[in-house]
Amino acid sequence: MQAPEDLEPTVRIRELKKDRVNFVLGNVDLAFANSLRRVMMADIPTVAIDMVEIETNTTVLPDEFIAHRLGMIPLISANCDEAMRYTRDCTCIAGCSFCSLILVLNVACHDDNTMNVTSNHLEVIPFPQMDIEGLLPQQDDVGEEISKRGEYFGYPVGKNEPGRAPVLITKIRKGQELKIRCTAKKGIAKEHAKFSPCSAVSFEYDPYNKLRHTTYWYETDIKGEWPLGENAKEEEPPRDDEVFDFNAKPNKFYFEVETDGSLGPQEVVMKGLAELQTKLANLILGLKSGPDHDMASNDVQANGHGPVIDTPWTAGTTWASPNTAPPTTAWGGSTSPSRGGGASNSWSSQPNSGGGGGWAAGANAGWGSPDRRANGWNV
Ligand SMILES: [Zn+2]
């Protein structure tokens, strides 16, 4: 018989709907299942309103309140990976049709009834052709992004879809008006939660708690007070005299992925797996490149997620603080001063400790990126 670790991973879809998928992932370990969950929540790009210019607002809500509500509205982002550029990667200076979308909201109430301003009032307009020199993308930039967009790319989810309630932005009464121009951009949820395509991602494993990863609190009857969930039907119940297996590991995970409509559940899972693969490939590349590799050009470092691999974690090599470092000091870079030098731009619980102690930053130390611009996400 094959050992469990030699088996190929399996996926069995139990339910697939427009905005959710339920599947069973088998023959993977807990770390992988959790990585997939986290990647789906935080690393899949979508489009969301990122800048709001308010021309008129005579509603009861202040400008920033409305701007925040607009940012949270899910916009249709199918194939966003290829259909849009990050503004930071674009050759334009102030936004262009490759990296930005323009939505306008222009409503006024003229009768005595209270009027709901909703996401259905948001209109996507063609990107205005600005003739200011230097602001548009470079002449030789022939992006294919626009041709990869669907008909309703950037529209609020469910706009004018019968039977689907729109997102309420505010309510206005007679004489009140809202006139707004929004710029939507591509981003991921590590920058701002509004970019997350998922409203919920969860998985369960070991429904009988055979592995004892959970300790149930109960008063008198553990079975009566903790009824089994649906997923328990998928597994063998433990025998009453079953001996606890210290070496058992979970290998079956019951996933439920629910999206906000900006992307379909199928796209979220597939892109999640692809993103995870890319991250791991970058990590392997970083490990193979060895200690002499230029860390600034290392993909693992550029993504800001990987530990520095050539420096062991010791008392003298820790994080530099991103908040208190002067602008010229990169995170964890070799320019960070040591604590002994009297500079106070590092975290410390022992202000008087000698050089090298506490939270001082040593050369190449810590988790930071050596380049502030590269610090962060998918740059
Ligand atoms: Zn652009």
Side-chain angles (χ1 to χ4, degrees):
M1 192 182 142
Q2 263 186 318
E5 56 268 25
D6 297 333
L7 295 171
E8 290 276 309
T10 57
V11 176
R12 178 161 52 87
I13 297 167
R14 295 197 293 192
E15 189 185 19
L16 177 63
K17 288 193 170 168
K18 200 177 172 188
D19 60 352
R20 65 174 63 221
V21 61
N22 184 302
F23 61 96
V24 185
L25 184 64
N27 300 330
V28 298
D29 64 11
L30 179 55
F32 180 86
N34 196 41
S35 307
L36 178 61
R37 179 188 69 90
R38 293 187 55 151
V39 162
M40 288 191 290
M41 281 196 305
D43 287 294
I44 316 282
T46 64
V47 187
I49 290 172
D50 202 47
M51 199 174 73
V52 176
E53 296 162 74
I54 295 178
E55 195 178 316
T56 313
N57 174 19
T58 51
T59 71
V60 292
L61 294 184
D63 294 358
E64 61 272 32
F65 203 134
I66 287 174
H68 176 252
R69 292 182 71 78
L70 287 165
M72 303 303 284
I73 292 172
L75 306 180
I76 291 170
S77 311
N79 200 26
C80 179
D81 227 10
E82 296 178 338
M84 193 127 172
R85 271 180 217 174
Y86 290 109
T87 311
R88 53 182 172 265
D89 294 339
C90 195
T91 52
C92 70
I93 289 173
C96 69
S97 54
F98 294 135
C99 67
S100 309
L101 287 170
I102 306 289
L103 291 96
V104 291
L105 181 64
N106 192 357
V107 281
C109 183
H110 301 294
D111 58 34
D112 290 329
N113 297 323
T114 304
M115 178 182 172
N116 288 345
V117 182
T118 70
S119 55
N120 282 351
H121 291 107
L122 275 169
E123 300 288 344
V124 179
I125 60 162
F127 203 91
Q129 290 300 314
M130 290 178 294
D131 53 357
I132 308 166
E133 206 178 331
L135 286 182
L136 287 172
Q138 287 161 13
Q139 289 289 318
D140 55 352
D141 187 352
V142 279
E144 292 175 345
E145 283 85 354
I146 296 165
S147 64
K148 294 184 175 173
R149 290 178 194 169
E151 191 184 351
Y152 296 112
F153 189 82
Y155 279 55
V157 169
K159 182 170 158 74
N160 301 326
E161 214 176 287
R164 191 156 183 169
V167 179
L168 181 67
I169 298 166
T170 185
K171 295 185 179 189
I172 54 176
R173 298 200 69 179
K174 194 174 185 179
Q176 295 180 342
E177 190 185 355
L178 200 53
K179 199 170 178 190
I180 287 174
R181 186 183 129 112
C182 314
T183 309
K185 291 179 179 171
K186 175 179 169 181
I188 58 169
K190 275 184 189 167
E191 299 167 53
H192 193 293
K194 69 187 172 187
F195 292 114
S196 179
C198 300
S199 44
V201 187
S202 64
F203 68 80
E204 185 192 6
Y205 63 94
D206 188 24
Y208 289 102
N209 197 28
K210 289 183 199 171
L211 305 169
R212 304 193 191 166
H213 286 193
T214 306
T215 308
Y216 292 119
W217 181 90
Y218 64 99
E219 287 190 343
T220 51
D221 171 23
I222 187 166
K223 285 188 177 169
E225 290 169 41
W226 292 97
L228 293 167
E230 278 291 301
N231 296 327
K233 292 176 189 162
E234 299 262 351
E235 296 191 13
E236 281 287 307
R239 297 187 314 272
D240 285 341
D241 60 344
E242 192 165 314
V243 181
F244 177 58
D245 180 358
F246 287 90
N247 297 313
K249 286 189 175 133
N251 84 331
K252 214 170 172 191
F253 303 89
Y254 308 97
F255 267 85
E256 171 88 31
V257 179
E258 183 185 337
T259 77
D260 63 8
S262 54
L263 296 176
Q266 200 171 358
E267 190 173 352
V268 170
V269 178
M270 295 311 287
K271 289 268 162 69
L273 288 167
E275 181 66 33
L276 197 53
Q277 201 171 21
T278 310
K279 281 181 191 301
L280 293 172
N282 280 339
L283 183 64
I284 291 165
L285 195 72
L287 289 167
K288 278 186 180 168
S289 59
D292 296 332
H293 190 72
D294 176 14
M295 297 310 284
S297 63
N298 184 319
D299 279 344
V300 179
Q301 277 296 298
N303 277 334
H305 305 312
V308 174
I309 50 173
D310 61 341
T311 309
W313 183 269
T314 61
T317 56
T318 48
W319 297 328
S321 163
N323 299 323
T324 52
T328 51
T329 305
W331 279 28
S334 57
T335 54
S336 299
S338 75
R339 292 213 68 278
S344 59
N345 58 350
S346 54
W347 296 350
S348 174
S349 55
Q350 297 169 299
N352 298 319
S353 66
W359 287 90
N364 279 336
W367 289 73
S369 160
D371 182 349
R372 283 181 79 84
R373 288 166 304 163
N375 172 36
W377 316 277
N378 287 0
V379 285

